[in-house]
Amino acid sequence: MALYEHVFLARQDVSAQQVDALVEQYKGVIEAHGGKIGRVENWGLKSLTYRIKKNRKAHYALMDIDAPAAAIQEMERQMRINEDVLRYMTIAVEAHEEGPSAMMQKRDRDDRPRRDGDDRGPRRDFGDRGPRRDFGDRPPRGDRPPREDRA
């Protein structure tokens, strides 16, 4: 049996319980065809980059699957029929990741580099730029001769 990662997007107006029911439904399809479901992650309701079937948001769910190709094909066939599923993608992988996926890893504010600290990188030094030009080469505004169109 092959290893797969499967992500699907459900409509924004379905509840979290209905998304869990969809996961259970597709889990049953995989297990009926001799496969196994490993990790299941519900990423929650997220904004879409562009509208899909008049939806601006979608519930995301990830499943790690160990199943034959026929089980994947049947699950994808049922997802095409289901109106609550906006998009899905199944990818064959060499091995499943251990631990939480990149979407579930919490990025703390403390991990980010500080804007006012030294973590930002080297500061630009303008010391070799020379003296600042004080615009002494042109007369002050009041001493200029009038323009021809104003005279």
Side-chain angles (χ1 to χ4, degrees):
M1 289 193 287
L3 300 175
Y4 300 94
E5 282 186 0
H6 179 80
V7 177
F8 72 91
L9 282 66
R11 290 185 313 146
Q12 64 187 2
D13 55 345
V14 299
S15 66
Q17 291 81 16
Q18 289 173 310
V19 174
D20 292 338
L22 285 172
V23 169
E24 290 301 319
Q25 174 187 347
Y26 298 126
K27 196 176 198 181
V29 170
I30 295 294
E31 290 172 352
H33 285 82
K36 293 181 286 196
I37 300 286
R39 168 182 64 171
V40 175
E41 289 182 358
N42 188 350
W43 294 344
L45 187 66
K46 296 193 172 290
S47 295
L48 299 171
T49 304
Y50 55 90
R51 288 177 26 174
I52 301 174
K53 298 181 184 175
K54 300 182 181 178
N55 290 284
R56 294 185 183 277
K57 293 184 176 190
H59 292 274
Y60 285 69
L62 167 79
M63 298 187 290
D64 284 346
I65 302 172
D66 182 12
I72 299 298
Q73 289 172 353
E74 176 61 22
M75 180 183 67
E76 288 181 348
R77 185 188 72 80
Q78 289 189 17
M79 284 192 172
R80 279 193 297 273
I81 295 170
N82 194 334
E83 292 179 359
D84 290 336
V85 177
L86 299 174
R87 294 278 193 276
Y88 61 86
M89 180 185 285
T90 308
I91 300 173
V93 294
E94 295 292 323
H96 291 299
E97 292 181 7
E98 295 297 321
S101 66
M103 292 293 287
M104 294 299 288
Q105 291 174 356
K106 179 108 168 99
R107 300 249 189 250
D108 285 338
R109 289 188 168 274
D110 298 336
D111 293 343
R112 295 187 208 158
R114 294 179 47 134
R115 287 185 148 183
D116 59 348
D118 294 332
D119 297 333
R120 190 167 69 169
R123 295 187 67 103
R124 293 176 47 180
D125 184 18
F126 296 110
D128 60 343
R129 203 160 90 174
R132 185 171 180 170
R133 197 173 120 195
D134 64 356
F135 300 104
D137 56 343
R138 71 177 189 209
R141 207 167 198 28
D143 295 343
R144 284 192 216 157
R147 290 186 1 198
E148 293 178 18
D149 61 340
R150 291 187 187 165

